[in-house]
Short mmCIF file of all heavy atoms in Angstrom, two decimals:
data_model
loop_
_atom_site.label_atom_id
_atom_site.label_comp_id
_atom_site.label_asym_id
_atom_site.label_seq_id
_atom_site.Cartn_x
_atom_site.Cartn_y
_atom_site.Cartn_z
N TRP C 153 -5.50 20.77 3.28
CA TRP C 153 -4.69 20.05 4.26
C TRP C 153 -5.15 18.60 4.37
O TRP C 153 -4.32 17.67 4.42
CB TRP C 153 -4.76 20.72 5.62
CG TRP C 153 -3.74 21.79 5.83
CD1 TRP C 153 -3.94 23.13 5.91
CD2 TRP C 153 -2.33 21.60 6.00
NE1 TRP C 153 -2.76 23.79 6.09
CE2 TRP C 153 -1.75 22.87 6.15
CE3 TRP C 153 -1.50 20.48 6.02
CZ2 TRP C 153 -0.38 23.05 6.33
CZ3 TRP C 153 -0.14 20.65 6.19
CH2 TRP C 153 0.40 21.93 6.35
N LEU C 154 -6.43 18.40 4.42
CA LEU C 154 -6.98 17.06 4.55
C LEU C 154 -6.62 16.20 3.34
O LEU C 154 -6.16 15.05 3.49
CB LEU C 154 -8.50 17.13 4.72
CG LEU C 154 -9.26 15.81 4.80
CD1 LEU C 154 -8.76 14.98 5.98
CD2 LEU C 154 -10.76 16.07 4.93
N ALA C 155 -6.82 16.74 2.15
CA ALA C 155 -6.52 15.99 0.93
C ALA C 155 -5.02 15.69 0.82
O ALA C 155 -4.62 14.59 0.41
CB ALA C 155 -7.01 16.76 -0.29
N THR C 156 -4.18 16.66 1.19
CA THR C 156 -2.73 16.47 1.10
C THR C 156 -2.25 15.40 2.07
O THR C 156 -1.48 14.49 1.69
CB THR C 156 -2.00 17.79 1.39
OG1 THR C 156 -2.41 18.78 0.43
CG2 THR C 156 -0.50 17.61 1.30
N LEU C 157 -2.70 15.47 3.32
CA LEU C 157 -2.26 14.48 4.31
C LEU C 157 -2.81 13.09 3.99
O LEU C 157 -2.09 12.09 4.11
CB LEU C 157 -2.73 14.92 5.71
CG LEU C 157 -2.08 16.20 6.25
CD1 LEU C 157 -2.73 16.60 7.58
CD2 LEU C 157 -0.58 16.02 6.43
N ALA C 158 -4.07 13.03 3.57
CA ALA C 158 -4.66 11.73 3.23
C ALA C 158 -3.97 11.11 2.03
O ALA C 158 -3.72 9.91 1.99
CB ALA C 158 -6.16 11.89 2.96
N THR C 159 -3.63 11.94 1.04
CA THR C 159 -2.94 11.43 -0.15
C THR C 159 -1.54 10.94 0.20
O THR C 159 -1.11 9.88 -0.26
CB THR C 159 -2.85 12.53 -1.22
OG1 THR C 159 -4.17 12.94 -1.59
CG2 THR C 159 -2.11 12.04 -2.45
N ALA C 160 -0.83 11.70 1.03
CA ALA C 160 0.51 11.28 1.45
C ALA C 160 0.46 9.95 2.19
O ALA C 160 1.28 9.05 1.94
CB ALA C 160 1.15 12.36 2.32
N LEU C 161 -0.51 9.81 3.10
CA LEU C 161 -0.63 8.58 3.86
C LEU C 161 -1.01 7.41 2.96
O LEU C 161 -0.45 6.30 3.08
CB LEU C 161 -1.67 8.76 4.97
CG LEU C 161 -1.87 7.58 5.93
CD1 LEU C 161 -0.55 7.22 6.61
CD2 LEU C 161 -2.93 7.92 6.96
N SER C 162 -1.95 7.63 2.04
CA SER C 162 -2.36 6.55 1.14
C SER C 162 -1.24 6.16 0.19
O SER C 162 -1.12 4.99 -0.19
CB SER C 162 -3.61 6.96 0.35
OG SER C 162 -3.36 8.08 -0.47
N LEU C 163 -0.38 7.12 -0.20
CA LEU C 163 0.75 6.79 -1.06
C LEU C 163 1.77 5.92 -0.33
O LEU C 163 2.29 4.95 -0.89
CB LEU C 163 1.42 8.07 -1.56
CG LEU C 163 0.77 8.78 -2.74
CD1 LEU C 163 1.43 10.13 -3.00
CD2 LEU C 163 0.84 7.93 -4.00
N ILE C 164 2.04 6.27 0.92
CA ILE C 164 3.00 5.48 1.71
C ILE C 164 2.46 4.06 1.93
O ILE C 164 3.15 3.06 1.66
CB ILE C 164 3.28 6.17 3.05
CG1 ILE C 164 4.00 7.51 2.82
CG2 ILE C 164 4.13 5.27 3.95
CD1 ILE C 164 4.14 8.35 4.07
N LEU C 165 1.23 3.98 2.43
CA LEU C 165 0.65 2.66 2.70
C LEU C 165 0.39 1.88 1.42
O LEU C 165 0.62 0.67 1.35
CB LEU C 165 -0.65 2.83 3.49
CG LEU C 165 -0.54 3.47 4.88
CD1 LEU C 165 -1.91 3.63 5.51
CD2 LEU C 165 0.37 2.65 5.78
N GLY C 166 -0.09 2.58 0.39
CA GLY C 166 -0.43 1.91 -0.87
C GLY C 166 0.79 1.37 -1.58
O GLY C 166 0.76 0.27 -2.15
N THR C 167 1.89 2.12 -1.55
CA THR C 167 3.13 1.65 -2.19
C THR C 167 3.66 0.41 -1.49
O THR C 167 4.04 -0.58 -2.13
CB THR C 167 4.19 2.76 -2.18
OG1 THR C 167 3.67 3.92 -2.84
CG2 THR C 167 5.44 2.31 -2.90
N ALA C 168 3.68 0.46 -0.16
CA ALA C 168 4.16 -0.70 0.60
C ALA C 168 3.26 -1.91 0.39
O ALA C 168 3.75 -3.04 0.18
CB ALA C 168 4.24 -0.34 2.09
N ALA C 169 1.95 -1.69 0.43
CA ALA C 169 1.01 -2.81 0.25
C ALA C 169 1.12 -3.39 -1.15
O ALA C 169 1.11 -4.62 -1.33
CB ALA C 169 -0.41 -2.33 0.51
N SER C 170 1.23 -2.54 -2.16
CA SER C 170 1.31 -3.01 -3.54
C SER C 170 2.56 -3.85 -3.76
O SER C 170 2.53 -4.90 -4.40
CB SER C 170 1.32 -1.82 -4.50
OG SER C 170 0.16 -1.05 -4.35
N TYR C 171 3.68 -3.39 -3.21
CA TYR C 171 4.95 -4.12 -3.38
C TYR C 171 4.86 -5.48 -2.69
O TYR C 171 5.29 -6.50 -3.26
CB TYR C 171 6.09 -3.29 -2.79
CG TYR C 171 7.46 -3.85 -3.06
CD1 TYR C 171 8.10 -3.59 -4.26
CD2 TYR C 171 8.11 -4.66 -2.12
CE1 TYR C 171 9.37 -4.10 -4.53
CE2 TYR C 171 9.37 -5.18 -2.38
CZ TYR C 171 9.99 -4.90 -3.57
OH TYR C 171 11.23 -5.42 -3.84
N ALA C 172 4.32 -5.50 -1.49
CA ALA C 172 4.21 -6.77 -0.76
C ALA C 172 3.24 -7.72 -1.45
O ALA C 172 3.51 -8.93 -1.55
CB ALA C 172 3.76 -6.50 0.68
N LEU C 173 2.12 -7.20 -1.93
CA LEU C 173 1.14 -8.06 -2.59
C LEU C 173 1.65 -8.56 -3.94
O LEU C 173 1.43 -9.72 -4.31
CB LEU C 173 -0.17 -7.29 -2.79
CG LEU C 173 -0.94 -6.94 -1.52
CD1 LEU C 173 -2.10 -6.01 -1.83
CD2 LEU C 173 -1.46 -8.22 -0.85
N HIS C 174 2.35 -7.70 -4.66
CA HIS C 174 2.85 -8.09 -5.99
C HIS C 174 3.91 -9.18 -5.87
O HIS C 174 3.94 -10.12 -6.68
CB HIS C 174 3.44 -6.88 -6.71
CG HIS C 174 4.03 -7.21 -8.05
ND1 HIS C 174 3.26 -7.50 -9.15
CD2 HIS C 174 5.33 -7.30 -8.46
CE1 HIS C 174 4.05 -7.75 -10.19
NE2 HIS C 174 5.30 -7.64 -9.79
N HIS C 175 4.78 -9.06 -4.87
CA HIS C 175 5.85 -10.05 -4.69
C HIS C 175 5.42 -11.20 -3.77
O HIS C 175 6.26 -12.05 -3.44
CB HIS C 175 7.10 -9.38 -4.12
CG HIS C 175 7.79 -8.47 -5.09
ND1 HIS C 175 7.35 -7.19 -5.37
CD2 HIS C 175 8.88 -8.68 -5.88
CE1 HIS C 175 8.16 -6.63 -6.26
NE2 HIS C 175 9.07 -7.51 -6.59
N ARG C 176 4.14 -11.19 -3.38
CA ARG C 176 3.58 -12.25 -2.54
C ARG C 176 4.42 -12.46 -1.27
O ARG C 176 4.79 -13.59 -0.91
CB ARG C 176 3.46 -13.56 -3.32
CG ARG C 176 2.57 -13.44 -4.54
CD ARG C 176 2.44 -14.75 -5.29
NE ARG C 176 1.60 -14.58 -6.47
CZ ARG C 176 0.28 -14.65 -6.48
NH1 ARG C 176 -0.37 -14.89 -5.35
NH2 ARG C 176 -0.40 -14.49 -7.60
N LEU C 177 4.74 -11.33 -0.62
CA LEU C 177 5.56 -11.39 0.59
C LEU C 177 4.72 -11.69 1.83
O LEU C 177 5.28 -11.95 2.91
CB LEU C 177 6.29 -10.06 0.79
CG LEU C 177 7.23 -9.64 -0.35
CD1 LEU C 177 7.85 -8.28 -0.05
CD2 LEU C 177 8.33 -10.69 -0.55
N ILE C 178 3.40 -11.65 1.71
CA ILE C 178 2.52 -11.92 2.84
C ILE C 178 1.45 -12.92 2.41
O ILE C 178 1.05 -12.95 1.24
CB ILE C 178 1.85 -10.62 3.35
CG1 ILE C 178 1.20 -9.85 2.18
CG2 ILE C 178 2.84 -9.74 4.07
CD1 ILE C 178 0.49 -8.59 2.61
N PRO C 179 1.00 -13.77 3.33
CA PRO C 179 -0.05 -14.74 2.99
C PRO C 179 -1.42 -14.06 2.86
O PRO C 179 -1.62 -12.95 3.33
CB PRO C 179 -0.02 -15.71 4.17
CG PRO C 179 0.49 -14.89 5.32
CD PRO C 179 1.47 -13.92 4.72
N GLY C 180 -2.34 -14.77 2.22
CA GLY C 180 -3.69 -14.25 2.07
C GLY C 180 -3.78 -13.07 1.13
O GLY C 180 -4.50 -12.11 1.39
N ARG C 181 -3.05 -13.14 0.02
CA ARG C 181 -2.96 -12.02 -0.92
C ARG C 181 -4.35 -11.60 -1.43
O ARG C 181 -4.70 -10.41 -1.43
CB ARG C 181 -2.07 -12.39 -2.10
CG ARG C 181 -1.95 -11.32 -3.18
CD ARG C 181 -1.08 -11.81 -4.31
NE ARG C 181 -0.88 -10.78 -5.32
CZ ARG C 181 -1.71 -10.54 -6.32
NH1 ARG C 181 -2.83 -11.25 -6.42
NH2 ARG C 181 -1.43 -9.57 -7.19
N ASP C 182 -5.14 -12.57 -1.87
CA ASP C 182 -6.45 -12.24 -2.44
C ASP C 182 -7.39 -11.63 -1.41
O ASP C 182 -8.12 -10.68 -1.72
CB ASP C 182 -7.08 -13.51 -3.04
CG ASP C 182 -6.31 -14.02 -4.25
OD1 ASP C 182 -5.59 -13.22 -4.87
OD2 ASP C 182 -6.44 -15.22 -4.57
N ALA C 183 -7.36 -12.15 -0.19
CA ALA C 183 -8.23 -11.62 0.86
C ALA C 183 -7.84 -10.20 1.21
O ALA C 183 -8.70 -9.32 1.39
CB ALA C 183 -8.17 -12.52 2.09
N ILE C 184 -6.53 -9.93 1.32
CA ILE C 184 -6.07 -8.59 1.65
C ILE C 184 -6.40 -7.62 0.52
O ILE C 184 -6.82 -6.48 0.76
CB ILE C 184 -4.55 -8.61 1.93
CG1 ILE C 184 -4.26 -9.44 3.17
CG2 ILE C 184 -4.01 -7.19 2.10
CD1 ILE C 184 -2.79 -9.63 3.45
#
């Protein structure tokens, strides 16, 4: 349960973060 929930959460957050960082939609890309 722990691994499944943590993976699901990291996939949601990681996908959003990757897309924003790749397209430089937010400032401070390198720091983030």
Side-chain angles (χ1 to χ4, degrees):
W153 272 110
L154 177 60
T156 301
L157 293 174
T159 300
L161 183 58
S162 62
L163 280 172
I164 295 171
L165 297 178
T167 303
S170 301
Y171 188 83
L173 292 172
H174 177 74
H175 290 80
R176 300 181 181 275
L177 301 178
I178 51 178
R181 177 182 184 275
D182 293 338
I184 295 174

